[in-house]
Amino acid sequence: MSKIKLILMSCCAPCSCGAITQLVNGEIPDVEDFIVMFFNPNIFPETEYQKRLQEQIKFCKKLNVKYVIGDYNHDDWKQAISGLENEPERGARCSKCFAFRFCYAQDFAIKNGYNAIASVFGVSRFKSQAQVDSSANSVCNTIPYLPIKWNEQLRQKINHESNF
């Protein structure tokens, strides 16, 4: 792959701010173009979803970064993880949730000329980067998943400055 047109999947502005800044500053080799994808039908209640969405939009606009908002259909997400509702954090529900969201991103990439997918789903201390990577690799068979190691110190600095 020569020049990368990347979809950066984001769960929220605080987790994505460092990654977005690294991409804007050209710190990730060969990324020619990128868009931030906010696709989180797993977030409930919808008021929490809207709060996270608005912060993500605000941060993207601040840096003049393209973004796309995926469909918020919590019922489709519940159907996708059906039977796993009582799984613990980092359990089978999380793997299924990540896979569901990566499938959505892959479909968007194919339809819109992007050739790689990355995410910040593993940035949270409540998630497992290995689990995120495994879920992505299990479904991203047409568009490659790039397991980028983001600069955590930059994320923490921006979060502190932005008061997220």
Side-chain angles (χ1 to χ4, degrees):
M1 183 182 310
S2 55
K3 291 297 178 183
I4 299 169
K5 289 187 68 179
L6 182 72
I7 294 174
L8 176 64
M9 299 193 68
S10 172
C11 52
C12 61
C15 285
S16 69
C17 63
I20 293 170
T21 301
Q22 285 181 263
L23 288 162
V24 166
N25 292 340
E27 295 175 26
I28 307 301
D30 300 321
V31 175
E32 174 181 77
D33 185 24
F34 77 97
I35 189 168
V36 174
M37 174 178 276
F38 189 87
F39 175 61
N40 298 293
N42 53 301
I43 300 172
F44 190 82
E46 191 170 354
T47 53
E48 177 64 21
Y49 168 86
Q50 288 298 329
K51 182 173 94 176
R52 291 186 193 199
L53 172 60
Q54 293 312 310
E55 288 299 316
Q56 185 70 78
I57 291 170
K58 186 167 84 174
F59 191 77
C60 286
K61 285 183 175 181
K62 178 180 176 182
L63 296 181
N64 198 28
V65 167
K66 294 182 293 188
Y67 62 90
V68 62
I69 302 163
D71 299 327
Y72 180 74
N73 190 326
H74 189 66
D75 290 337
D76 282 355
W77 175 81
K78 286 193 312 190
Q79 185 177 9
I81 59 99
S82 180
L84 302 172
E85 295 85 353
N86 296 317
E87 285 286 311
E89 198 62 39
R90 297 183 181 190
R93 182 190 71 239
C94 288
S95 294
K96 191 74 164 177
C97 175
F98 295 140
F100 177 76
R101 292 153 71 196
F102 282 119
C103 283
Y104 187 94
Q106 182 171 246
D107 186 51
F108 179 89
I110 292 166
K111 291 176 182 172
N112 292 280
Y114 289 87
N115 62 8
I117 299 168
S119 88
V120 297
F121 296 160
V123 168
S124 168
R125 62 190 162 116
F126 300 108
K127 302 299 179 197
S128 161
Q129 187 64 54
Q131 183 180 31
V132 171
D133 295 346
S134 178
S135 293
N137 287 322
S138 74
V139 296
C140 291
N141 48 23
T142 306
I143 303 294
Y145 168 73
L146 304 180
I148 298 170
K149 176 110 172 89
W150 304 108
N151 181 336
E152 282 300 299
Q153 292 174 335
L154 178 60
R155 180 185 66 84
Q156 291 167 359
K157 179 180 184 246
I158 294 168
N159 279 332
H160 179 72
E161 292 171 356
S162 299
N163 294 318
F164 282 124

